[in-house]
């Protein structure tokens, strides 16, 4: 009788853990969804910090998010680069290029990968294949470079995703801190860890605002017009 009771309690505990981890994942997806599927253009200013203790090597990054696509503007090696993402993939664009170059989501920007800034659409690009105390997600499209992701709730409002290779070896880890910035529920901080080379970078959200950018500009064929519109908005900022 005692063994049967313990067995029942273990089953109930397991179901409770599974329910909690899946509920946490749904909460994470809803936050991520606000970036990848927002009906209006949203301008997010982030600060990239390589050394969290000293705040050295920090720089501003500007991201435009819309359900039709996303565009990131950043300065690297004294030049301005734009990165664009849509259902068709990831692209790099500069004023010296006649047309954007298609790149991998794993394209390196110093310590980061471009897919870290141009949010992955986890809901459509990954599916749950195993539920334990963590979730195992498997890639469903060829857009993302990592076949598996392990998801867990590190603590309240902190989500930890470990990116795995084809043999399920850990390669990278992203830690998302949920919060409120300018009245928007968002990821107020994202910490990225390269588990192979012991490098890391953090992005802290400074401000979020709705901006006037036509949805028709969020297309690879309109990237020149989109970046020009983005630059004009930034120049008009107080």
């Amino acid at each position: 009788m005692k063994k049967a009771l313990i067995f029942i309690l273990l089953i109930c505990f397991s179901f409770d853990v599974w329910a909690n981890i899946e509920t946490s994942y749904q909460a994470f997806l809803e936050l991520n969804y606000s970036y990848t599927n927002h009906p209006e253009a949203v301008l997010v200013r982030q600060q990239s910090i390589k050394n969290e203790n000293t705040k050295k090597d920090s720089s501003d990054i500007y991201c435009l998010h819309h359900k039709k696509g996303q565009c990131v503007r950043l300065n690297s090696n004294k030049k301005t680069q734009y990165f664009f993402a849509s259902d068709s993939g990831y692209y790099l664009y500069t004023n010296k290029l006649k047309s954007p170059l298609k790149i991998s989501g794993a394209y390196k920007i110093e310590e980061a990968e471009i897919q870290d800034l141009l949010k992955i659409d986890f809901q459509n690009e990954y599916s749950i294949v195993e539920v334990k105390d963590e979730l195992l997600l498997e890639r469903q499209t060829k857009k993302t470079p990592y076949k598996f992701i392990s998801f867990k709730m590190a603590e309240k409002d902190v989500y930890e995703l470990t990116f795995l290779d084809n043999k399920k070896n850990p390669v990278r880890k992203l830690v998302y801190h949920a919060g409120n910035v300018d009245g928007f529920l968002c990821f107020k901080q994202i910490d990225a860890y390269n588990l192979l080379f012991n490098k890391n970078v953090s992005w802290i959200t400074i401000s979020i605002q709705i901006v006037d950018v036509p949805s028709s500009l969020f297309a690879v064929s309109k990237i020149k017009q989109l970046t020009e519109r983005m630059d004009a908005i930034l120049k008009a900022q107080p």
Side-chain angles (χ1 to χ4, degrees):
M1 180 67 178
K2 187 176 180 180
K3 289 183 178 180
L5 180 59
I6 293 173
F7 180 70
I8 292 171
L9 289 173
L10 286 173
I11 291 176
C12 292
F13 176 75
S14 298
F15 276 115
D16 187 53
V17 169
W18 295 345
N20 286 338
I21 190 66
E22 291 195 270
T23 299
S24 298
Y25 184 58
Q26 288 305 314
F28 169 79
L29 288 180
E30 287 178 14
L31 270 181
N32 195 69
Y33 195 77
S34 65
Y35 290 90
T36 60
N37 286 274
H38 204 282
E40 299 175 281
V42 179
L43 178 66
V44 178
R45 177 190 166 206
Q46 294 179 311
Q47 191 172 62
S48 170
I49 300 175
K50 296 180 187 177
N51 189 326
E52 180 63 27
N53 294 324
T54 64
K55 304 294 185 184
K56 289 182 179 180
D57 298 322
S58 64
S59 59
D60 283 348
I61 298 173
Y62 293 91
C63 311
L64 269 179
H65 297 280
H66 188 275
K67 64 181 181 180
K68 287 192 173 182
Q70 304 170 70
C71 185
V72 167
R73 178 188 188 271
L74 56 84
N75 294 317
S76 178
N77 298 323
K78 297 182 179 180
K79 63 181 179 181
T80 302
Q81 295 178 308
Y82 304 89
F83 295 90
F84 181 77
S86 66
D87 291 341
S88 60
Y90 298 94
Y91 299 85
L92 164 65
Y93 178 74
T94 69
N95 293 332
K96 294 184 179 180
L97 291 174
K98 292 183 179 180
S99 59
L101 297 175
K102 191 166 187 178
I103 58 176
S104 165
Y107 184 93
K108 296 291 188 296
I109 309 173
E110 298 176 342
E111 284 81 5
E113 293 183 358
I114 191 56
Q115 65 180 2
D116 302 337
L117 295 170
L118 296 168
K119 302 290 186 294
I120 297 172
D121 186 357
F122 295 97
Q123 188 160 354
N124 293 312
E125 294 174 22
Y126 283 87
S127 64
I128 299 172
V129 293
E130 187 176 287
V131 181
K132 292 185 178 179
D133 54 341
E134 300 181 10
L135 292 183
L136 181 65
L137 313 175
E138 185 173 5
R139 180 180 60 197
Q140 300 300 303
T141 72
K142 295 182 178 180
K143 183 180 175 182
T144 57
Y146 298 102
K147 186 171 184 180
F148 299 103
I149 297 175
S150 175
F151 171 91
K152 73 176 183 179
M153 192 81 174
E155 56 186 88
K156 180 176 171 55
D157 296 328
V158 179
Y159 309 95
E160 184 177 301
L161 282 76
T162 302
F163 293 75
L164 315 171
D165 62 18
N166 290 356
K167 295 183 179 179
K168 299 182 181 179
N169 297 312
V171 179
R172 306 181 67 253
K173 180 172 71 175
L174 292 182
V175 180
Y176 295 79
H177 304 258
N180 190 305
V181 176
D182 293 333
F184 291 87
L185 291 176
C186 65
F187 298 125
K188 65 179 182 180
Q189 180 170 329
I190 302 174
D191 305 315
Y193 301 89
N194 186 320
L195 302 179
L196 300 180
F197 300 103
N198 195 28
K199 293 182 178 181
N200 62 79
V201 63
S202 295
W203 299 285
I204 299 174
T205 300
I206 306 300
S207 64
I208 303 177
Q209 64 183 114
I210 303 292
V211 291
D212 183 18
V213 179
S215 61
S216 59
L217 294 186
F218 288 90
V220 178
S221 59
K222 297 289 183 68
I223 194 167
K224 184 176 186 297
Q225 296 94 315
L226 177 62
T227 56
E228 289 173 347
R229 179 62 181 154
M230 190 176 186
D231 288 345
I233 291 172
L234 294 178
K235 286 179 181 179
Q237 295 284 306

